[in-house]
Amino acid sequence: VANDVVEAGSGCGTDTNRVAILDAAGGRDELPLLPKREVADRLLDRVAAALDDRDAARQTAGMQEAPR
């Protein structure tokens, strides 16, 4: 997560932030200026969704293995 500290209302000493979320595939999602709590909530939602996707993929891969 990259925080735009040069924008007015963003960075340390403010109640809001504008961030860009970078992913391993090279994607970039820029959030608008939001309260810091909202930024944190959105980040946690993404982390939870990524963990759910990972766990679902592991379960699917495990189901595809031949029974022993």
Side-chain angles (χ1 to χ4, degrees), residues 55-66:
D55 292 346
R58 284 183 179 170
Q59 287 178 350
T60 301
M63 296 171 122
Q64 293 175 354
E65 291 180 10

Side-chain angles (χ1 to χ4, degrees), residues 18-31:
R18 179 182 305 272
V19 302
I21 302 169
L22 311 173
D23 64 34
R28 180 183 181 109
D29 186 15
E30 298 199 26
L31 299 182

Side-chain angles (χ1 to χ4, degrees), residues 27-66:
R28 180 183 181 109
D29 186 15
E30 298 199 26
L31 299 182
L33 188 65
L34 295 168
K36 289 183 178 186
R37 176 61 190 247
E38 178 68 19
V39 172
D41 288 344
R42 290 187 184 199
L43 290 173
L44 288 173
D45 288 345
R46 286 173 186 248
V47 169
L51 291 173
D52 287 344
D53 291 346
R54 181 201 64 190
D55 292 346
R58 284 183 179 170
Q59 287 178 350
T60 301
M63 296 171 122
Q64 293 175 354
E65 291 180 10

